[in-house]
């Protein structure tokens, strides 16, 4: 693909061509100024999420397994790295036409009330705008995990 000559990751397949991730410390997440990311998290999360995720009446391990299953069922989405001890996994999701890679991180957080919380962070590798693709992706994944639609935090 000619686009791969200019944007190298677009010329790769699956999770290839994107640098291997290290675990993300979401307590210190700083979002970029560019509008090409989307964050889904509990309402009290900092930084403020774009979408609010509910408390899931599941063990953290069960929610992590279900979130991973949802991610792996999505078209053109590839596991890049998993950190099971942190209940965190990273995926590369590629666009259908130009093979643009987006990065998606799944993090499950245990809660003191016996439920589990979900954090999803989707971001583009290339470009300043994502035309809402990252937010739409997270909305789809949340809906697949819970029939209650995610609330917008706008």
């Amino acid at each position: 693909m000619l686009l791969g000559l200019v944007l190298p990751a677009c010329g790769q397949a699956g999770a290839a061509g994107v640098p291997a991730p290290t675990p993300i410390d979401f307590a210190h997440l700083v979002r970029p100024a560019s509008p090409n990311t989307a964050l889904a998290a509990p309402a009290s999360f900092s930084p403020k999420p774009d979408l609010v995720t509910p408390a899931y009446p599941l063990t953290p391990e069960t929610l992590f397994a279900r979130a991973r299953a949802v991610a792996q069922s999505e078209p053109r989405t590839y596991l890049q790295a998993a950190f099971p001890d942190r209940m965190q996994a990273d995926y590369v999701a590629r666009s259908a036409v130009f093979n643009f890679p987006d990065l998606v991180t799944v993090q499950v957080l245990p809660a003191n009330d016996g439920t589990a919380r979900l954090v999803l962070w989707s971001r583009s590798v290339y470009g300043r705008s994502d035309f809402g693709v990252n937010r739409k992706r997270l909305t789809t994944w949340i809906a697949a995990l819970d029939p209650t639609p995610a609330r917008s935090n706008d």
Side-chain angles (χ1 to χ4, degrees), residues 3-148:
L3 189 58
L5 295 173
V6 178
L7 305 172
C10 294
Q12 301 291 319
V18 179
T22 57
I24 294 173
D25 180 0
F26 278 105
H28 297 100
L29 179 66
V30 177
R31 295 181 68 181
S34 61
N36 63 354
T37 72
L39 177 67
S44 61
F45 197 80
S46 181
K48 181 180 173 183
D50 303 305
L51 299 166
V52 175
T53 57
Y56 292 86
L58 304 167
T59 66
E61 295 79 13
T62 299
L63 180 56
F64 186 54
R66 288 186 182 179
R68 290 186 65 187
V70 166
Q72 291 169 294
S73 72
E74 291 296 309
R76 299 173 311 281
T77 301
Y78 309 92
L79 178 65
Q80 186 181 31
F83 307 99
D85 57 317
R86 298 175 63 102
M87 284 188 271
Q88 189 174 103
D90 292 283
Y91 295 87
V92 174
R94 293 193 174 269
S95 65
V97 178
F98 292 110
N99 204 39
F100 286 119
D102 289 343
L103 307 178
V104 187
T105 301
V106 174
Q107 172 83 58
V108 172
L109 306 170
N112 293 334
D113 62 0
T115 62
R117 304 296 194 268
L118 180 66
V119 177
L120 300 169
W121 188 36
S122 186
R123 60 245 183 240
S124 301
V125 172
Y126 297 119
R128 178 161 171 76
S129 176
D130 68 353
F131 304 100
V133 169
N134 286 299
R135 184 182 181 119
K136 182 179 177 190
R137 175 182 298 115
L138 297 189
T139 300
T140 299
W141 290 22
I142 292 166
L145 285 165
D146 186 341
T148 305

